[in-house]
């Protein structure tokens, strides 16, 4: 792509990119517990008992709640603590794919869930490193401007990645723009020109003559030979909207009510004395006598004289505010489709009760999983291409996702025990509360049988109608 065309692309998408970044940064502020209530304090939650210059209103506390962080991390932990198991139709090939994904795939997936919740759309970039190894990493959503086709399947045609980089020679930051296609990457640097927007090639790639075995120079073009644009989109929902939009107003309302309550608690300690017909008295002497003697001396002119002292205080409508906080909190978890941790304290911890608590979170997690499945399949196919496995585009890929939640292990174990004689070993291993890796559990069972473990059951003893492998098992009824 010509440098002028890249300049026009950057200028033409500037407003859209700015709008997306503003929404993402707002979600990020709430994720970092820097809600709008803290704007006056530059994003810091602070108690300030003397923040206002008003007779009865001195306190200006601004404490930020962390509901958004709780809801986002709750889903990320529920969905991505355990990475989905990938099956490409062959155990040997599946093991190779898992080896390339590595031990940190769940951490990358966890970050993708968090980014998608905050931005509406998360991004993963993959490449082949200098040693020929397949690598991937999560890219900050605000750096990516995708170029989609107008077809119904919305094919990714190119990606513009924009970010700041530090110049070690000058100590100043400059802007970098990478333009990625299915064949190459072109890198440009913004020219420090106040008059107009201008780019120049940024020669950050070293080219080699493989035949001669030496460097031939620097270039701003990198040919990746991956066959597709090496970026994968992970959408949070159909419309790629961040989760914060669903409940931001409720969080702001909760912060307003809560901080208003804190302000009243501080201000109620401020008692204003109202002195009637005491205008000629020395107030300093009055306060000194009050502190010393805990008494006030007044002269009364007789019947009808209203001379005296009264106090002016603030009344706190505690019951109304408690109800407002409770209702607002419940609505935050309702519309945010999360689990209120306080509910576990007052709920019978049975299997059914726990499932009911997780029902809204499960609906949200299932929707996220649905939109992530295609993206993970795309990553797996890219790995299969890298490994030169047969038919990477046509193979059926099976993903087995695992939820992480508070469980009633006793109830689950009892259910498994009742169904053990009528259920496959694979199903039992997958649902065993003591098992983390069901595939390894099946291998361990085979090893136990081979070693002659008397408590290990073989396939014959798992048939319906068999009990514990006793001597009467072979008798007919």
């Amino acid at each position: 792509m010509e440098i002028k065309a890249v300049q026009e692309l950057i200028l033409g998408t500037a407003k859209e990119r700015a709008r997306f970044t503003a929404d993402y940064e707002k979600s990020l502020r709430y994720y970092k517990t820097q809600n709008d209530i803290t704007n006056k304090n530059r994003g810091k939650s602070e108690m300030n008992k003397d923040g206002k210059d008003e007779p009865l209103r001195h306190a200006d506390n601004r404490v930020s709640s962390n509901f958004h962080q709780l809801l986002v991390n709750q889903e990320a932990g529920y969905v991505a603590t355990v990475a989905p198991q990938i099956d490409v139709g062959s155990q040997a090939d599946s093991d190779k794919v898992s080896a390339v994904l590595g031990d940190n795939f769940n951490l990358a997936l966890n970050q993708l869930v968090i980014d998608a919740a905050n931005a509406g759309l998360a991004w993963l970039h993959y490449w082949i490193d200098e040693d020929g190894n397949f690598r991937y990493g999560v890219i900050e959503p605000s750096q990516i401007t995708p170029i989609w086709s107008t077809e119904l399947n919305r094919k990714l045609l190119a990606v513009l990645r924009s970010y700041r980089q530090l110049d070690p020679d000058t100590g100043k930051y400059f802007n970098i723009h990478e333009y990625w296609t299915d064949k190459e990457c072109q890198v440009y640097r913004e020219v420090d020109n106040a008059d107009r927007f201008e780019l120049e090639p940024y020669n950050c790639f070293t080219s080699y003559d493989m035949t001669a075995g030496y460097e031939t120079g620097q270039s701003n073009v990198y040919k990746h030979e991956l066959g597709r644009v090496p970026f994968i989109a992970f959408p949070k929902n159909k419309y790629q909207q961040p989760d914060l939009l669903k409940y931001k107003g409720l969080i702001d309302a909760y912060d307003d009510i809560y901080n208003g309550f804190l302000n009243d608690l501080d201000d109620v300690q401020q008692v204003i004395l109202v002195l009637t017909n005491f205008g000629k008295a020395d107030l300093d002497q009055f306060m000194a006598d009050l502190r010393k003697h805990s008494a006030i001396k007044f002269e009364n002119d007789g019947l009808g004289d209203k001379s005296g002292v009264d106090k002016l205080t603030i009344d706190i409508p505690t019951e109304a505010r408690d109800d407002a906080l409770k209702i607002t909190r419940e609505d935050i978890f309702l519309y945010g489709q999360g689990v209120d941790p306080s509910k576990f304290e007052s709920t019978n911890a049975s299997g059914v009760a726990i499932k009911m608590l997780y029902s809204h979170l499960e609906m949200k997690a299932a929707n996220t999983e649905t939109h992530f499945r295609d993206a993970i399949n795309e990553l797996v196919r890219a790995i299969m291409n890298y490994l030169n496995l047969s038919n990477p585009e046509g193979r059926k890929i099976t993903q087995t996702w695992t939820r992480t939640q508070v469980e009633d292990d006793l109830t689950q174990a009892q259910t498994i025990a009742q169904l053990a004689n009528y259920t496959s070993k694979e199903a039992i291993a997958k649902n065993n509360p003591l098992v983390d890796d069901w595939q390894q559990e099946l291998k361990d069972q085979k090893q136990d049988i081979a070693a002659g473990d008397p408590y290990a059951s073989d396939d014959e003893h798992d048939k319906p109608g068999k009990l514990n492998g006793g001597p009467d098992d072979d008798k007919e009824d």
Side-chain angles (χ1 to χ4, degrees):
M1 194 174 190
E2 296 294 333
I3 188 169
K4 290 185 178 180
V6 176
Q7 288 181 179
E8 292 297 326
L9 174 63
I10 295 172
L11 292 174
T13 58
K15 290 184 178 179
E16 178 184 354
R17 187 163 55 252
R19 183 165 53 249
F20 176 88
T21 301
D23 289 340
Y24 169 65
E25 290 181 348
K26 182 185 297 181
S27 294
L28 210 56
R29 285 195 297 103
Y30 273 70
Y31 184 78
K32 295 178 179 179
T33 323
Q34 298 173 356
N35 301 358
D36 284 353
I37 193 74
T38 65
N39 286 347
K40 186 177 179 180
N41 299 338
R42 302 174 302 282
K44 296 181 180 179
S45 289
E46 293 180 342
M47 298 286 289
N48 190 351
K49 297 184 178 183
D50 295 306
K52 295 180 181 178
D53 187 16
E54 299 180 14
L56 292 178
R57 297 290 182 180
H58 294 282
D60 188 22
N61 299 310
R62 294 177 179 270
V63 179
S64 182
S65 63
N66 70 334
F67 287 114
H68 179 58
Q69 183 192 77
L70 173 61
L71 289 167
V72 171
N73 287 352
Q74 196 174 78
E75 183 187 18
Y78 184 63
V79 174
T81 296
V82 179
Q85 295 182 350
I86 306 299
D87 183 359
V88 298
S90 164
Q91 187 60 51
D93 290 348
S94 298
D95 291 342
K96 292 178 182 178
V97 171
S98 296
V100 174
L101 287 172
D103 297 334
N104 293 327
F105 180 46
N106 63 323
L107 294 178
L109 188 61
N110 184 282
Q111 185 59 52
L112 287 167
V113 174
I114 292 174
D115 283 353
N118 283 324
L121 185 66
W123 287 94
L124 183 138
H125 172 46
Y126 60 90
W127 68 96
I128 309 299
D129 67 13
E130 296 177 352
D131 298 324
N133 298 316
F134 187 96
R135 296 283 184 245
Y136 61 88
V138 179
I139 303 296
E140 188 172 346
S142 58
Q143 295 183 2
I144 302 297
T145 303
I147 293 90
W148 303 96
S149 70
T150 56
E151 301 171 0
L152 293 178
N153 60 357
R154 274 176 58 87
K155 182 181 178 181
L156 185 63
L157 300 178
V159 160
L160 175 68
R161 182 188 174 198
S162 305
Y163 56 93
R164 299 178 68 201
Q165 186 167 307
L166 180 65
D167 188 337
D169 296 330
T170 64
K172 295 181 180 180
Y173 283 92
F174 59 94
N175 294 326
I176 294 290
H177 299 279
E178 300 176 0
Y179 183 75
W180 290 82
T181 65
D182 57 350
K183 295 181 176 61
E184 64 182 20
C185 168
Q186 301 173 6
V187 185
Y188 300 95
R189 170 177 175 166
E190 286 188 20
V191 178
D192 189 8
N193 189 341
D195 297 332
R196 59 189 178 125
F197 177 76
E198 186 177 357
L199 297 177
E200 64 180 7
Y202 184 54
N203 298 322
C204 57
F205 301 117
T206 303
S207 56
Y208 294 88
D209 186 328
M210 302 303 296
T211 304
Y214 58 82
E215 297 182 8
T216 58
Q218 297 291 115
S219 172
N220 75 314
V221 179
Y222 164 67
K223 297 186 180 298
H224 54 72
E225 299 180 353
L226 292 169
R228 63 183 72 191
V229 182
F231 288 80
I232 301 176
F234 285 75
K236 186 66 172 67
N237 47 59
K238 178 181 178 181
Y239 298 105
Q240 301 176 7
Q241 294 293 314
D243 283 354
L244 184 64
L245 296 180
K246 297 185 293 185
Y247 47 76
K248 178 182 180 299
L250 290 168
I251 292 178
D252 291 340
Y254 187 94
D255 286 345
D256 184 63
I257 298 170
Y258 182 77
N259 283 278
F261 188 48
L262 291 180
N263 293 340
D264 283 350
L265 289 177
D266 284 336
D267 290 334
V268 76
Q269 303 175 37
Q270 302 291 330
V271 178
I272 295 180
L273 299 179
V274 181
L275 307 179
T276 304
N277 295 336
F278 216 73
K280 295 182 180 180
D282 185 286
L283 293 180
D284 292 336
Q285 184 63 42
F286 168 80
M287 294 302 298
D289 293 341
L290 180 61
R291 283 191 294 268
K292 181 178 180 180
H293 303 290
S294 297
I296 304 171
K297 181 180 179 181
F298 272 90
E299 294 182 359
N300 195 299
D301 291 337
L303 187 64
D305 191 339
K306 297 182 179 180
S307 299
V309 60
D310 294 313
K311 64 179 180 178
L312 186 60
T313 59
I314 300 173
D315 294 328
I316 303 177
T318 305
E319 184 176 351
R321 282 189 168 165
D322 285 347
D323 290 342
L325 286 174
K326 179 181 178 181
I327 294 172
T328 305
R329 180 188 178 95
E330 290 175 350
D331 284 348
I332 289 173
F333 283 100
L334 174 63
Y335 298 127
Q337 292 181 275
V339 180
D340 188 346
S342 65
K343 296 296 183 182
F344 284 100
E345 300 176 2
S346 57
T347 301
N348 180 18
S350 66
V352 176
I354 292 175
K355 286 184 177 180
M356 291 298 294
L357 285 176
Y358 277 90
S359 59
H360 279 77
L361 178 57
E362 174 57 34
M363 290 175 61
K364 181 169 66 171
N367 185 64
T368 300
E369 176 188 329
T370 299
H371 287 86
F372 272 38
R373 277 181 174 271
D374 286 345
I376 292 178
N377 282 346
E378 186 176 346
L379 174 62
V380 171
R381 297 190 195 283
I383 294 175
M384 293 172 68
N385 274 309
Y386 160 76
L387 295 171
N388 293 319
L389 301 182
S390 61
N391 193 23
E393 302 300 328
R395 284 206 204 185
K396 179 182 178 182
I397 300 174
T398 302
Q399 301 177 25
T400 303
W401 291 64
T402 302
R403 302 288 193 258
T404 302
Q405 67 179 52
V406 176
E407 293 183 350
D408 179 9
D409 289 346
L410 177 60
T411 301
Q412 187 174 357
Q414 290 173 342
T415 302
I416 291 175
Q418 293 172 356
L419 299 176
N421 293 327
Y422 307 95
T423 308
S424 68
K425 286 185 175 181
E426 181 176 321
I428 295 296
K430 286 181 178 179
N431 292 278
N432 190 331
L434 301 180
V435 172
D436 294 326
D437 187 339
W438 65 270
Q439 292 177 325
Q440 184 61 42
E441 170 66 12
L442 294 178
K443 293 178 182 177
D444 293 342
Q445 289 181 12
K446 291 182 179 179
Q447 291 178 358
D448 290 343
I449 294 173
D453 187 344
Y455 295 101
S457 34
D458 55 24
D459 292 337
E460 182 67 22
H461 291 154
D462 284 336
K463 291 181 179 179
K466 304 293 182 181
L467 298 178
N468 296 318
D472 296 332
D473 284 355
D474 295 329
K475 294 182 180 179
E476 294 183 356
D477 293 337

